Amino acid sequence: MHKKDLVLFVDDWLESWTGNKPKQLLSFYTDDVFYLDPANQDGIKGKANLEIYFTKLLNKNANWKWKVIEIFPTAKGFTLKWEAIIPVLDKAFLIYGVDLVEMSGNKICRDEIYFDRYNWHTEVDLNKQNKTKV
């Protein structure tokens, strides 16, 4: 993929992470995709399994926003440095991370996501605890 096409692809892909549109997001992945993130350290194999995960994840995080910091093309795809703003009730967390992406044609066949989710995850857990006390 040429750099200009890659930039357009990544912009469209990141946009599909916002707004609770799992089907749209899944359209960027191959049927045999391998996906890994901090919540799934063993990874998720296959689009059908990824759909289950994305449906839950995007439903809980419909208003998060993703932004490209830098894209590094690689022989098999690209590495993406990104930032995300993730709202949790009255707070918003700014998180930085990277995706290591491999492509098959114009679709993602491997997506490994790395970021520190400690502050965000801690806030989510505190909110859950506060709801159970009410």
Side-chain angles (χ1 to χ4, degrees), residues 43-81:
I44 297 171
K45 294 176 183 150
K47 198 178 213 177
N49 294 322
L50 192 56
E51 180 174 10
I52 294 166
Y53 178 63
F54 280 173
T55 298
K56 291 177 186 176
L57 181 67
L58 297 182
N59 184 52
K60 291 179 183 178
N61 299 286
N63 296 316
W64 57 10
K65 304 269 189 235
W66 301 83
K67 180 180 169 188
V68 173
I69 295 175
E70 199 165 0
I71 302 169
F72 302 95
T74 64
K76 294 183 179 181
F78 59 92
T79 298
L80 170 67
K81 287 174 48 180

Side-chain angles (χ1 to χ4, degrees), residues 21-37:
K21 303 172 280 195
K23 296 276 189 201
Q24 181 179 336
L25 179 56
L26 285 164
S27 72
F28 289 87
Y29 294 88
T30 61
D31 289 340
D32 62 345
V33 64
F34 176 79
Y35 175 92
L36 179 141
D37 69 14

Side-chain angles (χ1 to χ4, degrees), residues 88-91 93 117-134:
V88 177
L89 292 179
D90 61 342
K91 295 183 181 180
F93 292 91
R117 66 182 192 145
Y118 178 78
N119 289 336
W120 168 42
H121 198 265
T122 300
E123 189 67 28
V124 169
D125 286 346
L126 287 174
N127 285 322
K128 285 180 186 175
Q129 289 173 8
N130 289 336
K131 283 182 182 180
T132 60
K133 291 180 184 177
V134 175

Side-chain angles (χ1 to χ4, degrees), residues 94-114:
L94 178 62
I95 296 176
Y96 295 95
V98 296
D99 276 55
L100 306 177
V101 177
E102 292 181 11
M103 305 285 291
S104 177
N106 62 352
K107 301 243 184 203
I108 298 168
C109 62
R110 185 177 192 91
D111 186 8
E112 296 185 23
I113 303 165
Y114 299 95

